Amino acid sequence: MSAALETRGLCKSFGALTVADRIDFRLESGARHALIGPNGAGKTTFVNLLTGLLRPSSGTVLLGGEDVTALAQSGRVKRGLGRTFQINTLFRDMSVLDNVALGVAERHGVAGGFWRPASGQRAVREESLELLARLGIADEAGRRVLDLPYGKQRLVEIAIALGLKPRVLLLDEPAAGVPSLESERILQALDSLPEDIAILIIEHDMDLVFRFARRITVLVQGEVLCEGTPQEIADDVRVHQVYLGERHA
Amino acid sequence: MNHPVGYNADHRLRWTEWLPWVVALAVFFLLPDYLSLGARVLTYILFALSLDLILGYAGIITLGHAAFFGLGAYVTGILSAKLGVNDPLLQMLCSACAAGLLGLATGALVLRTHGLTQLMLTLAVAAVCLEVANKATPVTGGADGLSGVTVAPILGLFRFDMYGRTAYLWCLVLVFGGWWLIRRLIYSPFGAALTGIRENSVRMHAVGAPVYKRLLTVYTLSAAIAGIAGALLTQTNQFVGLNVLGFEPSGELLVMLILGGVGRLYGAFVGPLVFLIAQDFLARQFPEYWYFGIGLMLVVVVLFARGGILGISDAVIARMRRKA
Ligand SMILES: Nc1ncnc2c1ncn2[C@@H]1O[C@H](COP(=O)(O)OP(=O)(O)O)[C@@H](O)[C@H]1O
Ligand SMILES: [Mg+2]
């Protein structure tokens, strides 16, 4: 069976700097997979290559077995690929509801309508509100995003991605810098997602990684160092040297 | 009032939104001597509305919007003066199509770029149009412009009279139509998507929006509306010259919109009104200080009131409410 998401020989260089080095990677459907590695290892770049925000120097990206390397971001989203950003990437001067509704409307295929008012799109509104309720921020629906505290902005960041109903979800440090209440909500929301969704999470908090992930890939300087179950990774000497060791030193 | 758009917005008309039309009709009945100035203001309001749509809502920065205005003006002028096509509706339609096509063709390139590159490209498009109009003397009249424009009665019924009454109402009808169309558009899902692109195009791509297609659509539409405004200018002046093209009218339009307030729909009404009335009075009395005065006004607005004149009035009203 083909993987939910797969890369073959994926490479990316910025000038002389190689940030992705022949990455072969598989994300099975229903996976709860973590991608870890020191800062600057190329994790965010890898996600950007997967979504089409960046073009690879070489190699291919397959989504559900289909080669999507040449496909623009919107085409990959249509095929079920969703993501969040490490640094909040929100519609700051718009309402919380709008932040989610813009994506929901794209998925419903009504976002190009230019005659009837947006506020009349009941299905889009209701679905967006429901999602906000699931993340505990339904009360904020009418507020501007830039007026929210950081932790709640982070929940909006997640909500936008969930609004796409992705079959493959890429989370770039979703809980970084988030107060514990909000990070608990993020985890709950992820737990409540359908089992067959494939999730790749980039995370520095090892407790969170070991709680969430059933598989871990370690990336160092653009190369996959190793991959395995949380236990195997925790026991791996090389991982301790380059990553865990460095953190606990 | 600032107009929030999107899935939360209340799209119903507020009473304040009737004000421009009440004022416009009052001018028609009470100030018959000012109808030609009024028609000019109305023309620029339509032009400014078309700019607000792409700049204020979609966030496309342009210094070349006069290319579409000028093309619209010349198409109507050439149709009448060179080809004897004098039906105002037909002229309007041809101007809109020509300007829309130019918008589509140049937008396909311009909208692939961002920031300063985008700004320079829009400027270049307008400069090329100006040069073409300047050189194609047999068709455009070159530096002398095209006179001898005649406009047949609208629908064969309403003759353009020497008092400018018909011209004024004709402008008013088209501004009303343009406003109504643009207003519907900005409250629609499409308008919300444009605002999303302005706010964060990276995220719009990431939620699966066809960003480039949306931008090209609105750019084309805006160009067509600017073309209609240009056609209006030729029809009411019965003349078209090089001053409708190039950097100067583009820059002036931008000044008007910033003065009135960008991205709030009615800034496009207030800006041209203030600018053109001030120009009419001040430029006659103090020709050497006129630009200085406008420059000063612009500096004040940019430094102290990012929302333009409407932004200032919003702030004042909010403060009075708080005190009350
Ligand atoms: N657009 C870019 N241009 C040049 N260098 C970049 C760019 N994006 C990322 N990099 C570099 O690539 C390396 C990997 O960055 P990143 O993928 O953000 O790492 P991580 O997410 O693992 O911390 C870093 O050294 C970073 O400076
Ligand atoms: Mg990163």
Side-chain angles (χ1 to χ4, degrees):
Chain A
M1 207 184 101
S2 58
L5 186 69
E6 187 179 352
T7 68
R8 292 185 191 150
L10 204 62
C11 293
K12 177 73 187 177
S13 309
F14 295 114
L17 183 70
T18 301
V19 191
D21 198 358
R22 288 159 295 164
I23 300 180
D24 296 312
F25 177 81
R26 274 177 76 92
L27 188 71
E28 306 297 341
S29 63
R32 297 292 181 270
H33 199 132
L35 181 64
I36 65 172
N39 271 325
K43 305 181 295 294
T44 297
T45 303
F46 182 58
V47 167
N48 288 340
L49 290 169
L50 295 177
T51 61
L53 179 64
L54 290 175
R55 300 266 138 184
S57 307
S58 62
T60 47
V61 178
L62 300 134
L63 191 57
E66 182 193 358
D67 186 345
V68 295
T69 317
L71 215 58
Q73 292 178 72
S74 58
R76 303 187 196 193
V77 174
K78 277 211 184 68
R79 285 165 178 74
L81 184 62
R83 71 157 311 168
T84 68
F85 290 82
Q86 179 178 356
I87 296 165
N88 278 349
T89 303
L90 305 170
F91 310 107
R92 288 171 52 81
D93 203 19
M94 299 177 85
S95 71
V96 170
L97 179 75
D98 281 334
N99 269 261
V100 178
L102 284 175
V104 173
E106 294 291 345
R107 179 165 52 78
H108 284 222
V110 297
F114 61 87
W115 202 240
R116 306 246 294 280
S119 51
Q121 294 289 346
R122 290 200 36 197
V124 172
R125 279 176 55 100
E126 275 164 21
E127 197 184 318
S128 306
L129 277 171
E130 224 168 88
L131 190 52
L132 292 176
R134 220 161 83 206
L135 286 160
I137 46 174
D139 291 346
E140 319 284 1
R143 284 179 74 188
R144 268 191 321 180
V145 158
L146 63 90
D147 295 330
L148 294 184
Y150 179 78
K152 285 187 173 164
Q153 289 192 10
R154 213 60 200 143
L155 290 175
V156 177
E157 177 70 43
I158 312 286
I160 295 175
L162 295 184
L164 307 176
K165 290 225 170 121
R167 287 189 291 118
V168 177
L169 179 58
L170 313 174
L171 302 161
D172 196 350
E173 304 197 23
V178 171
S180 56
L181 172 69
E182 274 90 357
S183 77
E184 203 50 47
R185 286 213 179 119
I186 292 174
L187 270 181
Q188 276 170 15
L190 295 182
D191 283 340
S192 72
L193 289 176
E195 265 301 310
D196 60 339
I197 290 182
I199 302 179
L200 177 69
I201 189 170
I202 297 172
E203 186 52 63
H204 282 303
D205 181 343
M206 282 306 135
D207 294 336
L208 206 155
V209 167
F210 283 97
R211 215 174 112 188
F212 180 78
R214 296 195 286 261
R215 228 176 153 71
I216 299 177
T217 296
V218 183
L219 196 69
V220 179
Q221 290 181 4
E223 275 184 282
V224 174
L225 180 74
C226 56
E227 191 196 310
T229 64
Q231 201 52 54
E232 286 164 4
I233 296 301
D235 295 340
D236 196 303
V237 184
R238 291 168 302 169
V239 176
H240 277 269
Q241 275 167 358
V242 300
Y243 187 69
L244 297 173
E246 169 197 280
R247 285 175 64 87
H248 291 294
Chain B
M1 284 284 130
N2 195 358
H3 280 238
V5 304
Y7 293 84
N8 255 348
D10 182 359
H11 65 278
R12 286 170 304 183
L13 275 170
R14 269 139 281 200
W15 68 268
T16 44
E17 300 188 76
W18 292 107
L19 279 180
W21 315 112
V22 174
V23 170
L25 284 176
V27 167
F28 179 77
F29 289 111
L30 302 176
L31 300 169
D33 293 342
Y34 289 97
L35 290 186
S36 87
L37 175 62
R40 197 174 152 72
V41 170
L42 286 170
T43 302
Y44 272 87
I45 287 175
L46 187 59
F47 188 19
L49 275 170
S50 76
L51 179 65
D52 202 22
L53 181 60
I54 55 167
L55 175 71
Y57 290 92
I60 302 167
I61 314 170
T62 169
L63 268 176
H65 212 46
F68 311 118
F69 182 69
L71 180 64
Y74 268 103
V75 165
T76 288
I78 293 164
L79 278 176
S80 174
K82 299 286 174 189
L83 303 171
V85 177
N86 294 332
D87 181 68
L89 277 171
L90 193 59
Q91 292 173 345
M92 194 74 45
L93 191 69
C94 292
S95 287
C97 289
L101 275 178
L102 183 66
L104 184 67
T106 60
L109 176 68
V110 165
L111 298 171
R112 287 184 192 282
T113 63
H114 304 278
L116 205 56
T117 316
Q118 189 170 69
L119 199 70
M120 297 314 286
L121 276 178
T122 59
L123 200 56
V125 168
V128 168
C129 288
L130 176 63
E131 206 38 42
V132 168
N134 188 25
K135 287 281 153 60
T137 316
V139 188
T140 62
D144 296 334
L146 271 182
S147 45
V149 174
T150 39
V151 186
I154 300 159
L155 300 170
L157 294 173
F158 307 103
R159 193 172 300 282
F160 279 72
D161 57 303
M162 59 182 290
Y163 307 107
R165 298 164 68 88
T166 308
Y168 182 87
L169 290 178
W170 175 231
C171 288
L172 187 57
V173 166
L174 282 155
V175 172
F176 188 84
W179 162 80
W180 188 65
L181 179 79
I182 291 174
R183 195 182 180 283
R184 282 207 82 115
L185 205 121
I186 60 174
Y187 279 105
S188 71
F190 181 72
L194 293 180
T195 311
I197 293 170
R198 181 197 71 204
E199 283 295 304
N200 200 329
S201 67
V202 172
R203 194 54 181 254
M204 275 315 261
H205 281 290
V207 299
V211 171
Y212 175 71
K213 190 179 114 193
R214 297 262 152 81
L215 287 177
L216 194 55
T217 307
V218 77
Y219 198 71
T220 303
L221 184 73
S222 166
I225 296 173
I228 291 178
L232 270 182
L233 191 75
T234 303
Q235 289 175 345
T236 52
N237 289 346
Q238 311 202 323
F239 172 81
V240 53
L242 288 177
N243 61 346
V244 296
L245 275 166
F247 172 70
E248 208 175 300
S250 303
E252 266 184 9
L253 181 74
L254 203 57
V255 169
M256 289 184 208
L257 189 60
I258 293 172
L259 211 55
V262 181
R264 33 175 77 229
L265 195 60
Y266 296 98
F269 286 72
V270 173
L273 185 75
V274 170
F275 185 98
L276 292 171
I277 288 178
Q279 188 181 52
D280 197 61
F281 287 104
L282 297 180
R284 222 179 299 152
Q285 286 173 9
F286 315 104
E288 59 272 50
Y289 299 125
W290 151 245
Y291 265 108
F292 178 72
I294 275 292
L296 198 67
M297 230 183 344
L298 194 66
V299 169
V300 168
V301 161
V302 169
L303 280 184
F304 300 110
R306 298 303 290 271
I309 293 171
L310 282 187
I312 299 175
S313 76
D314 271 0
V316 170
I317 291 170
R319 179 169 291 186
M320 287 191 327
R321 286 230 173 101
R322 233 175 293 137
K323 283 216 175 117

